[in-house]
Amino acid sequence: MKLPAVQWLAEPTRFAALARPRARIVLGILLLFLLLSLTALVTVGPPPVSGDPAKRADDQSDVMLYESIVAGVRHGGDYYEVTADALRAGNYPLRPFVTFRLPGLAMVEAHVPRAGMLALLFVLVASVLAVWGMKLRSGMTRWPPVLIGLALLAGGLMAFVQTDLWAFHEIWAGLLIALSLGIRRQGRWIEAVAIALLAMLVRELAALYAIMMLAAAWFEGQRREAIGWGVALACLAVAVGFHAHAVGQVTNAADPASPGWAGLHGYGFFAKAMVLSTALQLFPMALGVLLFTCSLFGWAAWKDQAAGRVFLTLAAYGVALALFARPDTFYWGLMVAPLSLIGLAFVPDALRDLFRQALDRRRITVTKVTR
C-alpha cells in the first residue's frame, strides 16, 4: 500500500531516512512507551481535589502559601522571616534550604499590583503563542496544521491563564522556558539564555533546562553558546549560595525536614503529571497519557533543531519526575507543560515516515552482465 506524500510538515521527518531495522526499533520503542504510559492508571498521583468550597484551603494550600508570603513582604516584612513563619504555620518543611523559593518573584509581586502581575502574565502567554505560531508557520506547509498546532499549544497553556495561580512559581518559569526555546535561533542565543536565567531565578528547577541546552549546544559545536549557558548556570549558583546562607539565618535544627525526593514512580507518573498539567485532564486518564506519549513521539520526529531541544527538555524533566518527584510535587510538570502537546501535530507525518521505512521491502538486485 502506497502511503500519502507529506501532508503537514514542510520536510520529511527524522524517521524518513531510517533503515528498516532502525525504523522497526523506533516503532518498538514507541509501543513500549505507550504501554508504560498506561501504568499511570495504577501509579500514585496527587491528592484529589475535593471541589468543596469549604475545603479550598486544603485544595490550594501551596497557592495560598505563596500569596501569604507576598502579602507579608508587601506589608514590610523580610522575605526570609515571612517565608519561615508561613512555612511553620502551614506545617511545611523548612530544611533543606531548597524548601524556600528564591525571593525574586515574591519581591516583584509584592511591589507590583496584582492587576499588573496578571497583565504581565497574559503578555507572557501571548508572547509564547506568537513566537511558536511563527515557528510552526515556518515548518509547516499551510495554515490548517499551524492552527491545529496553536490549538495544542493553547491546551498546554490551560493552567497558565488561571488567574488564581499568579503567585505559583512554576507558572512563570514554565512560560519563560517556552519563550526561551521559541526565540533561540542558530547564532542567536543571548536572548534565550537571558530569559532562561530569569526562569532559573524564579524557580531553580529551570536549571535542568539550561543544562540540557548547554549539552545540546556543545554537541552541536556551538561553543560560544555553550559558554553562555554555563555563565547563566554560574550566576544561578551564586544566587543559590546567597539564598542558602539567608535561609540558614531563619531556620534551626528543630525545624521539620523534607521527606526527600526519591519517588521512583516511573514513566507513568510523568505521563500522569503532564495530563494533570494540561488540557488532557479533560479526557479519561488512559487516553490522556497515550496522547501525551504520542506528542513526545511527534517532537522526536520533527526535523528541526528547536524540536530536538524541546524533546531533550521534555525527556530531562520526564526523568526528573519519574525518579525524584513525590505525588504532591507533580506540578513540576508545569515547567514544560506549555509545549508538551504541540508534538501531536507532527504525529501524522511521523507515523507515515516510520511505517514506510519499517515496512520497506525493497531489495537490491545485482545482475551479472556477460559479453
Side-chain angles (χ1 to χ4, degrees), residues 61-279:
S61 56
D62 286 355
V63 175
M64 297 182 71
L65 168 70
Y66 301 135
E67 289 179 349
S68 70
I69 292 171
V70 170
V73 174
R74 182 178 292 139
H75 288 90
D78 172 77
Y79 171 77
Y80 289 99
E81 293 178 355
V82 167
T83 302
D85 291 342
L87 291 172
R88 291 188 182 104
N91 295 317
Y92 286 89
L94 285 82
R95 297 182 296 123
F97 70 91
V98 291
T99 58
F100 284 63
R101 295 290 182 263
L102 290 168
L105 180 62
M107 297 300 292
V108 172
E109 291 174 333
H111 293 87
V112 177
R114 186 173 187 271
M117 292 304 299
L118 291 178
L120 181 59
L121 180 66
F122 290 132
V123 167
L124 195 52
V125 169
S127 299
V128 171
L129 285 166
V131 166
W132 278 96
M134 291 186 288
K135 188 171 287 291
L136 290 171
R137 185 66 188 95
S138 67
M140 294 184 143
T141 56
R142 54 190 188 277
W143 274 107
V146 173
L147 295 176
I148 291 173
L150 286 173
L152 292 168
L153 174 58
L157 290 168
M158 187 177 74
F160 297 80
V161 293
Q162 296 182 23
T163 57
D164 58 342
L165 296 179
W166 69 284
F168 213 65
H169 295 71
E170 284 77 6
I171 291 293
W172 295 91
L175 287 171
L176 290 168
I177 287 175
L179 186 60
S180 174
L181 278 164
I183 67 172
R184 188 262 170 199
R185 299 287 189 278
Q186 185 78 19
R188 183 178 175 180
W189 47 266
I190 294 177
E191 298 90 341
V193 171
I195 292 173
L197 179 57
L198 286 177
M200 289 189 284
L201 294 176
V202 168
R203 186 68 167 100
E204 69 281 359
L205 277 178
L208 183 56
Y209 161 64
I211 291 170
M212 293 301 101
M213 293 292 276
L214 186 157
W218 186 265
F219 284 107
E220 291 169 4
Q222 306 295 322
R223 296 294 188 261
R224 294 181 65 183
E225 180 184 351
I227 292 172
W229 289 105
V231 169
L233 286 164
C235 291
L236 174 67
V238 172
V240 169
F242 283 109
H243 176 66
H245 175 74
V247 171
Q249 303 304 303
V250 296
T251 57
N252 56 66
D255 287 320
S258 168
W261 295 272
L264 298 176
H265 296 305
Y267 177 77
F269 181 82
F270 169 47
K272 176 182 283 190
M274 299 312 300
V275 169
L276 296 174
S277 300
T278 65

Side-chain angles (χ1 to χ4, degrees), residues 42-71:
V42 295
T43 192
V44 295
V49 176
S50 66
D52 183 353
K55 297 181 179 180
R56 180 181 182 275
D58 294 330
D59 292 343
Q60 298 186 332
S61 56
D62 286 355
V63 175
M64 297 182 71
L65 168 70
Y66 301 135
E67 289 179 349
S68 70
I69 292 171
V70 170

Side-chain angles (χ1 to χ4, degrees), residues 286-325:
L287 178 58
V289 294
L290 291 173
L291 287 172
F292 170 69
T293 299
C294 287
S295 184
L296 278 180
F297 167 72
W299 274 118
W302 188 16
K303 195 175 181 180
D304 181 271
Q305 191 177 74
R309 295 195 178 204
V310 171
F311 176 77
L312 184 64
T313 301
L314 284 165
Y317 281 91
V319 172
L321 278 155
L323 297 182
F324 304 114

